[in-house]
Amino acid sequence: MKVEQVRRTPGVPPAQAASAGADALIELGRYKLEPIDVEPFTTTVDGTTFGWILGQYDGSYSIHIEPGDFAYYAPWDGLGYDT
């Protein structure tokens, strides 16, 4: 696993998403969008937890993306999320 620290964009409050200017760190190459299988995981780097954490509220499951304030839930099509 490769982890690179990306500095916060000046003027953006904590926990608010914004471009960090890290586009050069991502090397996707050729890719095809299609359904994938995933499973929850976590890892900690410099005291910050990263990962997909399984949650449940009122009988419904969700995946919480950390760090951040994102939760995905059924129908799992990537279109519905909560912040």
Side-chain angles (χ1 to χ4, degrees):
M1 173 178 18
K2 178 180 178 182
V3 176
E4 299 226 4
Q5 186 175 21
V6 178
R7 301 282 179 210
R8 174 174 300 285
T9 302
V12 176
Q16 181 174 334
S19 173
D23 296 335
L25 296 177
I26 300 172
E27 299 175 14
L28 293 179
R30 294 179 59 123
Y31 63 91
K32 177 181 175 184
L33 297 178
E34 60 185 318
I36 61 171
D37 292 324
V38 298
E39 63 183 53
F41 75 95
T42 60
T43 188
T44 302
V45 177
D46 293 334
T48 300
T49 300
F50 294 82
W52 292 14
I53 301 170
L54 182 64
Q56 185 177 11
Y57 177 76
D58 223 12
S60 297
Y61 288 99
S62 59
I63 295 288
H64 299 261
I65 313 302
E66 297 293 339
D69 188 17
F70 301 95
Y72 288 91
Y73 45 86
W76 311 108
D77 57 9
L79 301 176
Y81 65 95
D82 188 20
T83 61

